[in-house]
Amino acid sequence: MRAPQAPLPTVSARWLLKAASLAILAAALCAWLTLCLLFWQGSWQLLYHPTAAVTRTPASVGLAFDPIGFATTEAGEPRLRGWWIPAGSDAHYNRYTVLYLHGQDGNLGDTVDALAALHAVGVNVLAFDYRGYGQSQFAHPSEARWREDAEWALQYLTATRHIAPGTIILDGKDLGANLALEIAAAHPELAGMVLESPLASPVDAIFRDPRARLVPAHLLVRDRFDADSAAAALHISSLWFLETLAPEQAGLPEKPDAFQKVTAPKMLVWLTPSPDATMDFENSLSRWLDDLRP
């Protein structure tokens, strides 16, 4: 006689519902963590827009220059590449060297006209591409890397070219102006700093993106470019160039918060779009250089 079979185990509907809910929550968490990872890896593209092909050089406007490479790796390869544009031997301000920090878009090839204006004033110029830009080493741009690149450029000027820090002037454009402000605040031994159209809130380009609302963007992104804090810590003379409409049309806008926080000597110049803008820039820079300490 066959023994009675044991009853099959049963699973309660409550257990099935709980297991399904946990599986859905786990899948949603994995999807959200993946989204966080993708945002962390790619959010830099919302702020930085580098290009690789350098299509213009100072030679295109008749300037003599030396291609340079510095900040070499252990294998002897330069991480950063740029241009050295010497002032003429009889140039009025050839005792000064300008370290030019370009903005977040393009590369050195887009700065040729700006470098020509600096050369016309009569200063030496060092301009370079950050990592990830132009012919410099490939790497995703970030505030930390930009600062490191700028520090390497300063070291190249002082250690390789033996230029006295007290004769070096930082000149930054757009996001490069925010970088110049941070570097200048950390180097009170420099002669001065020129800011061209610094950005009031650059990282808003990241945090205002719709995808930033789905992730803890402020925890994932470390870039800040806090101009106000850097300005408050500034101890060297600064010249600020800000763009505006013609004054008779709109009047001058309010001075930026960062400028108002500077306690060191400072000068503000409003530039209006006009054929004379470059001349106004050169004249204002010359007047400011005249007032710098020898």
Side-chain angles (χ1 to χ4, degrees):
M1 185 175 179
R2 297 175 60 185
Q5 294 182 350
L8 295 175
T10 59
V11 178
S12 68
R14 179 180 296 179
W15 187 92
L16 287 174
L17 181 61
K18 183 182 295 185
S21 299
L22 290 175
I24 293 172
L25 287 175
L29 178 61
C30 288
W32 182 75
L33 290 176
T34 300
L35 180 62
C36 290
L37 177 62
L38 293 174
F39 186 87
W40 174 72
Q41 290 179 329
S43 59
W44 64 271
Q45 298 174 80
L46 299 172
L47 178 58
Y48 308 94
H49 311 109
T51 56
V54 179
T55 57
R56 295 181 73 200
T57 71
S60 64
V61 291
L63 292 183
F65 74 102
D66 295 324
I68 59 170
F70 57 96
T72 55
T73 64
E74 294 180 356
E77 288 295 320
R79 294 184 179 91
L80 303 175
R81 295 189 179 275
W83 302 326
W84 170 254
I85 307 173
S89 58
D90 58 345
H92 188 58
Y93 302 108
N94 62 8
R95 67 184 180 277
Y96 291 117
T97 296
V98 170
L99 172 57
Y100 188 81
L101 304 172
H102 68 68
Q104 67 275 23
D105 301 330
N107 60 43
L108 269 186
D110 304 301
T111 71
V112 169
D113 293 335
L115 302 181
L118 290 172
H119 182 268
V121 172
V123 295
N124 304 292
V125 181
L126 170 66
F128 71 97
D129 269 324
Y130 315 108
R131 281 173 289 177
Y133 288 74
Q135 297 176 347
S136 291
Q137 182 187 58
F138 176 77
H140 289 164
S142 70
E143 183 179 12
R145 285 188 174 132
W146 274 32
R147 289 194 63 163
E148 188 174 33
D149 294 347
E151 292 288 352
W152 279 334
L154 279 176
Q155 186 178 12
Y156 168 78
L157 288 175
T158 57
T160 302
R161 290 196 171 265
H162 307 291
I163 296 173
T167 64
I168 297 175
I169 296 169
L170 299 177
D171 183 349
K173 172 72 173 176
D174 297 331
L175 190 60
N178 297 64
L179 173 64
L181 193 53
E182 293 183 3
I183 299 299
H187 289 276
E189 73 277 12
L190 300 180
M193 174 190 62
V194 178
L195 301 180
E196 303 180 45
S197 304
L199 305 182
S201 302
V203 291
D204 282 355
I206 298 176
F207 297 139
R208 288 178 179 172
D209 187 86
R211 289 161 291 189
R213 303 171 186 172
L214 305 176
V215 298
H218 285 78
L219 297 178
L220 297 174
V221 177
R222 295 185 178 182
D223 290 9
R224 291 298 183 270
F225 288 102
D226 186 354
D228 290 353
S229 297
L234 191 65
H235 295 289
I236 61 177
S237 177
S238 58
L239 171 60
W240 298 59
F241 287 103
L242 302 179
E243 297 179 353
T244 183
L245 300 175
E248 62 272 12
Q249 295 179 4
L252 295 178
E254 186 178 353
K255 297 176 182 178
D257 291 341
F259 178 82
Q260 299 188 57
K261 289 182 179 295
V262 175
T263 57
K266 58 187 177 181
M267 174 178 170
L268 175 60
V269 177
W270 294 100
L271 293 178
T272 58
S274 74
D276 298 326
T278 299
M279 184 62 69
D280 292 340
F281 172 86
E282 294 174 7
N283 291 337
S284 298
L285 179 56
S286 296
R287 292 198 304 271
W288 179 75
L289 290 171
D290 287 336
D291 293 335
L292 280 184
R293 64 181 185 272

